[in-house]
Amino acid sequence: MTVMVFLVAAALVAPHQDHTPENVQDTFLKTQLIGMWMSDQDVRMRWISYTKQGKEAPKAVIREMIQVDKKNLAQLKEIVAEHGWPTISMVGPEAASDAFDLVQHGGSDKPFMRKCLSLMKPLLAKGEVSKQSYAMLYDRTSLEQGKKQLYGSQVKFVNGEWVLEPCEDTAHLAQRRKAMGMMPIKEYLKFIQDVYGSHDPFHRDEKTGHGG
C-alpha cells in the first residue's frame, strides 16, 4: 500500500508558529485553512501513534479521520471554486502548504486532485506555490493514473522496509529532487521510517476504504 503522504507533507515544512503577521491578501482565508489543517493533524497524530507501534487504531479514531477529511474536502472545494488555488501571496506559505495537505488527504476525489495540480502548475514559476507541494501532488496523481512518479515522493512498505513506488529515470532522480527543494532520497526514506516505524500503517484499514 502506497504512503500517500498522510503526515509527511506537513512534517517536511516548518511548523506553525506565532510571528509577525504576514502581508497576505486574505487573512480570513488564511485562518480558515490553518484551522482545517489543525483538525486534520489532530486526528492523524492520534492515528499515527497507534500505527507506528503496529497497533490497530480504534475504529472511533478511523471514523473521525474519515469524517474530518470529508468535511475539509468539501470546504476546500468551495474555497477553490471561489478563490482558485490558495497562493502564497493570498494566504501565506504556511496556509498554502496546509491547502496542499488537505488536497492529499481528500484523495478519494481524484478528479479534484488533478484539477488542483493543473491550477498549481502555472503558479509554480511565479513562486506562488511550494515546489515540494507541487512535486508530491504530481507524483501522486501520476501513480493513480497508472504512470510512474517523477520526484520519488511516494513510497510503499515491502518486506519490512520502505521503498519507492515506480519512478521515472531514477538515474537523474537526485537532480530533480534538488531542483524542487526536496531532501536526498536516502534521507527521505529514513524520515519515512522515523515517522511511521517498521509497520505498514495501512494494512488494517483497507476495509474502510480510507486511503487519504
Side-chain angles (χ1 to χ4, degrees), residues 22-37:
E22 297 169 307
N23 182 24
V24 300
Q25 298 169 2
D26 195 327
T27 55
F28 177 81
L29 182 55
K30 171 187 172 181
T31 301
Q32 183 182 11
L33 286 168
I34 290 175
M36 293 162 64
W37 180 86

Side-chain angles (χ1 to χ4, degrees), residues 105-157:
H105 299 162
S108 59
D109 193 330
K110 295 176 177 59
F112 180 64
M113 289 178 61
R114 292 194 293 271
K115 175 182 178 180
C116 290
L117 184 68
S118 67
L119 291 173
M120 292 169 71
K121 185 176 182 178
L123 298 169
L124 190 62
K126 300 177 182 179
E128 287 289 359
V129 299
S130 160
K131 290 181 179 180
Q132 288 187 25
S133 295
Y134 179 82
M136 289 181 182
L137 192 57
Y138 181 96
D139 280 353
R140 179 160 183 186
T141 54
S142 293
L143 290 176
E144 290 181 340
Q145 294 178 78
K147 304 175 184 177
K148 294 182 178 180
Q149 60 177 326
L150 189 60
Y151 301 104
S153 67
Q154 304 298 302
V155 301
K156 58 185 176 181
F157 192 74

Side-chain angles (χ1 to χ4, degrees), residues 159-190:
N159 297 326
E161 64 179 344
W162 296 101
V163 298
L164 288 181
E165 283 280 9
C167 187
E168 294 279 1
D169 185 21
T170 54
H172 297 94
L173 177 59
Q175 293 95 311
R176 293 196 300 274
R177 289 182 65 85
K178 184 176 181 180
M180 300 304 277
M182 304 170 82
M183 68 177 69
I185 197 65
K186 288 185 178 180
E187 292 181 21
Y188 182 63
L189 291 174
K190 182 181 182 303

Side-chain angles (χ1 to χ4, degrees), residues 64-75 105-106 210:
E64 182 182 353
M65 186 161 61
I66 292 171
Q67 288 304 311
V68 167
D69 287 351
K70 184 177 179 180
K71 179 181 178 182
N72 281 342
L73 177 61
Q75 286 184 276
H105 299 162
H210 185 64

Side-chain angles (χ1 to χ4, degrees), residues 16 28-44 64-65 67-80 83 85-86 91 94-95 97-103 105-106 112:
H16 294 73
F28 177 81
L29 182 55
K30 171 187 172 181
T31 301
Q32 183 182 11
L33 286 168
I34 290 175
M36 293 162 64
W37 180 86
M38 290 178 70
S39 65
D40 171 288
Q41 291 297 292
D42 175 67
V43 67
R44 270 181 170 73
E64 182 182 353
M65 186 161 61
Q67 288 304 311
V68 167
D69 287 351
K70 184 177 179 180
K71 179 181 178 182
N72 281 342
L73 177 61
Q75 286 184 276
L76 187 62
K77 291 176 78 170
E78 291 178 359
I79 288 170
V80 170
H83 301 279
W85 181 255
V91 298
E94 290 177 347
S97 177
D98 294 347
F100 157 72
D101 284 351
L102 297 171
V103 169
H105 299 162
F112 180 64

